[in-house]
Amino acid sequence: MATFTLRRFSCPETLKAIETKRLLAFLKPHRRFLLSRGVTLPQSATNGELDYEELARVFMTPDGKTPKELIDALYFVDEMATPEGMDALLAEAKQQKLRLAPGSDHSPADIAVQVWLLNSDILERKHAEHYLAKVRSFESYQMDRFKRPAFKRPSDKQLNALASDLDDWFEEKKRGRGSRIIMCEKDDGVWFLVRHGDPYKREESIEGGTASSVYYRPLKPDVLVYSPQIGELRINARSKGEKELYRTKFGKHLFGDEDIFPGTEKYTLDPLRELGEDALALGDIDGIEWIKLREVQFFFAGNPWEVVTRKSDDVFALFKSRNKSFPEGGRIIRATFQVKFADAKTPRSVVIKPSNIAQFTRDDDSVLVEQWLEARGFIIKGEEQESDQPQTVLAGR
């Protein structure tokens, strides 16, 4: 079930911008529930008047009896009821040959409702694509063998079995069942949006002027990306337990092996100390003009411990100007690089942490950056990868 936070559908003006006939069709399956909350739906757009103020109040103050189907429908339509969302839905509707109502006087919410009524799967998929574009930070897990099995697009049966396996864990952790997996194929890999429940929340509310409480299970989206070119699974999830769950269950259901993505470290920042400024060399990488080290963090163990951050427009140039070498003490725990791509006017940031974390300003930056990271030794080679294999990955992440 989606979260109850509705930014647009709790506004009467947004509801009024949806054609009444269409809004009634959207709400018709939930007539009884709305009646129990004091909202009577007219039989038709010309037979009775819809109370938009009261309807918005119901959407703002859901209770435990609010149908899951209504919450989900409201959530997805509300999220896509923006100018950007409307543009995406109009383009997809044209491609899928959906018969939207003619005319130019449709609001974003009106378009979203139309698409939901015609094909709710399309609306959910476009919402998933919008969410995926916002995700920037991942933990990466590489396969433990150089000869990777061929990737085959998972069937609905496989995804359903995977969702059921995930549900067993979520239910045990008091997050409920009902996981949904949406798959999108992009140039850099196969993306999976996993929607599942979070632990129940309690929030204060007002019903009829009386203080009350709302209990609900929020929606939690996680993102996974599999790059067939380099046999890597990247995970964006909140807890260590969820990451371990995805690592093992995706391996099980996509490749028949729970340990095909071992939880070993991928990145190291040791080349900064071992190679110095040569770690930023780009002679064999096309598509990047230059890279500068903007920030580096060192961890010094002890009691008390200390984290030291060195930050500059160019950290290596800073050390050189002061006749200092790269610090030998402390463990390097984070580095921020400024990368100037050939096809970009301004440089963009890339953050690398030892273990499995890489953060990119834009998703498609990772293709070239990963080539540089691997060529300069920032990516740890798996034990089973043969030493005479080329170090530069030509595609993928």
Side-chain angles (χ1 to χ4, degrees), residues 49-252:
E49 193 169 321
L50 184 59
D51 191 336
Y52 293 99
E53 297 284 345
E54 192 66 14
L55 188 61
R57 183 190 64 80
V58 171
F59 294 157
M60 283 191 295
T61 58
D63 56 25
K65 296 181 180 179
T66 305
K68 172 186 180 298
E69 295 76 15
L70 176 59
I71 290 295
D72 287 342
L74 288 171
Y75 171 76
F76 292 117
V77 170
D78 187 79
E79 286 284 294
M80 295 300 289
T82 64
E84 183 183 17
M86 182 174 70
D87 291 343
L89 291 175
L90 287 174
E92 186 69 15
K94 183 178 181 179
Q95 183 176 347
Q96 299 294 333
K97 298 182 179 179
L98 292 184
R99 299 183 64 181
L100 300 180
S104 58
D105 58 345
H106 301 289
S107 69
D110 192 67
I111 293 295
V113 168
Q114 287 188 61
V115 174
W116 178 269
L117 292 172
L118 291 169
N119 190 326
S120 60
D121 288 341
I122 290 178
L123 189 77
E124 288 194 47
R125 179 163 53 81
K126 297 309 292 184
H127 174 265
E129 291 176 5
H130 272 252
Y131 181 83
L132 293 176
K134 301 175 183 178
V135 179
R136 294 286 177 263
S137 182
F138 293 88
E139 290 198 14
S140 303
Y141 301 85
Q142 291 180 306
M143 287 185 175
D144 64 351
R145 58 181 69 90
F146 183 75
K147 293 183 178 180
R148 298 180 291 273
F151 175 75
K152 297 181 180 179
R153 178 187 173 93
S155 65
D156 290 341
K157 183 178 180 181
Q158 283 177 286
L159 294 181
N160 290 337
L162 171 59
S164 179
D165 232 2
L166 298 179
D167 276 345
D168 291 341
W169 188 90
F170 290 130
E171 186 174 39
E172 180 184 352
K173 301 300 181 181
K174 311 302 181 185
R175 289 164 170 80
R177 302 187 70 85
S179 300
R180 176 92 184 273
I181 302 174
I182 299 176
M183 182 174 64
C184 299
E185 295 185 63
K186 302 173 69 173
D187 292 340
D188 59 345
V190 185
W191 291 60
F192 300 86
L193 177 65
V194 182
R195 292 196 181 102
H196 63 85
D198 240 8
Y200 263 93
K201 284 188 176 182
R202 174 184 180 275
E203 291 186 359
E204 299 300 315
S205 64
I206 294 181
E207 181 71 21
T210 303
S212 182
S213 298
V214 174
Y215 295 88
Y216 66 96
R217 187 183 300 284
L219 172 76
K220 174 64 171 62
D222 295 323
V223 177
L224 298 92
V225 185
Y226 176 67
S227 298
Q229 300 94 332
I230 58 174
E232 177 182 277
L233 180 68
R234 298 187 296 121
I235 300 174
N236 176 280
R238 183 170 52 206
S239 71
K240 182 178 180 180
E242 288 170 337
K243 294 169 187 175
E244 179 66 11
L245 171 72
Y246 292 135
R247 180 187 72 80
T248 57
K249 299 309 179 185
F250 265 72
K252 171 185 174 182

Side-chain angles (χ1 to χ4, degrees), residues 274-306:
E274 296 168 353
L275 303 178
E277 200 166 5
D278 288 342
L280 310 183
L282 293 166
D284 52 351
I285 308 296
D286 294 327
I288 300 179
E289 295 181 0
W290 51 260
I291 297 178
K292 292 181 181 180
L293 178 64
R294 294 293 303 275
E295 181 179 325
V296 60
Q297 289 184 350
F298 303 89
F299 174 76
F300 295 87
N303 187 15
W305 55 266
E306 182 182 22

Side-chain angles (χ1 to χ4, degrees), residues 317-387:
L318 173 68
F319 291 148
K320 188 181 297 184
S321 69
R322 297 181 179 179
N323 295 318
K324 293 183 178 180
S325 59
F326 198 88
E328 294 184 0
R331 180 164 59 90
I332 308 175
I333 60 173
R334 175 189 172 102
T336 301
F337 302 90
Q338 191 175 50
V339 183
K340 174 60 172 67
F341 295 91
D343 63 352
K345 293 183 179 179
T346 58
R348 295 193 284 268
S349 294
V350 173
V351 179
I352 302 294
K353 299 179 183 178
S355 73
N356 298 309
I357 300 176
Q359 185 170 353
F360 305 94
T361 305
R362 285 179 22 179
D363 296 326
D364 50 5
D365 290 351
S366 65
V367 177
L368 293 175
V369 172
E370 291 273 329
Q371 290 183 32
W372 159 64
L373 291 173
E374 186 167 9
R376 299 296 166 262
F378 289 97
I379 294 180
I380 300 172
K381 295 294 183 182
E383 293 181 1
E384 297 184 28
Q385 181 163 327
E386 300 177 11
S387 59

